Amino acid sequence: LLALFWSYSLAFPESDHPLTWSAAGESAPKVTQLLLHIAYQATAVTILGGAVSERMNLGAYVVLVCLLAGVFYPLASRWCWHEGALVERTPPFHDFAGSGVVHYFGGLAALIGAACIGPRKGRWDEIEAANFAPHNVPTVLGGALVLWIGWDEFHVGPG
């Protein structure tokens, strides 16, 4: 809902709302652009979620996600893809399939979040070190396979 009513308009100010129907066939690219915006926005903030998991209060995480997804990600998207210093450079900035904005933004937010929160409690304690050992390698490999296939299909959308 945040992307639908706020952040899409912030990222694409020159565009009409994607759910308004004008002539036949003209709104489908807008809806596609909205869905890609939502997917990229969600991916950027879930990178932060992986970095601060088990270390942040849920209420604080929801507020941070709303702030990042509603204000900072649309501005970064607009700056890199539409109008802004990176697009108007010589040579202009070219982002392959959205990976630069999504991963740089998500990675920077994750780095700042993890640096502010600090390591997990007990992670570097010798007594509790056994609790942090990987315990199910097939599950880890299966998750990596699903992530790999999803990543491969994720970048087909903007192409």
Side-chain angles (χ1 to χ4, degrees):
L1 290 175
L2 185 66
L4 186 62
F5 294 113
W6 170 257
S7 69
Y8 181 85
S9 299
L10 189 59
F12 305 100
E14 71 283 348
S15 177
D16 293 334
H17 196 274
L19 297 182
T20 56
W21 294 93
S22 54
E26 287 184 20
S27 60
K30 292 180 191 176
V31 172
T32 304
Q33 189 177 21
L34 171 69
L35 293 175
L36 283 172
H37 175 74
I38 291 171
Y40 289 163
Q41 182 182 36
T43 302
V45 297
T46 55
I47 293 171
L48 168 71
V52 299
S53 63
E54 300 177 358
R55 294 183 280 174
M56 183 179 259
N57 184 337
L58 181 62
Y61 178 71
V62 169
V63 169
L64 185 60
V65 163
C66 288
L67 184 67
L68 290 174
V71 178
F72 293 115
Y73 177 77
L75 291 176
S77 170
R78 180 178 175 178
W79 191 48
C80 293
W81 291 333
H82 305 291
E83 55 187 44
L86 292 179
V87 176
E88 296 168 0
R89 282 185 44 196
T90 304
F93 173 75
H94 294 287
D95 188 13
F96 175 72
S99 61
V101 175
V102 171
H103 293 99
Y104 291 146
F105 177 80
L108 183 62
L111 178 67
I112 293 171
C116 290
I117 293 174
R120 288 182 173 87
K121 292 181 180 169
R123 175 65 178 107
W124 305 110
D125 187 12
E126 292 181 17
I127 297 170
E128 294 188 32
N131 294 337
F132 291 97
H135 56 279
N136 195 339
V137 176
T139 303
V140 171
L141 293 176
L145 178 65
V146 168
L147 183 65
W148 185 23
I149 292 171
W151 172 80
D152 183 51
E153 301 308 316
F154 182 71
H155 290 295
V156 171

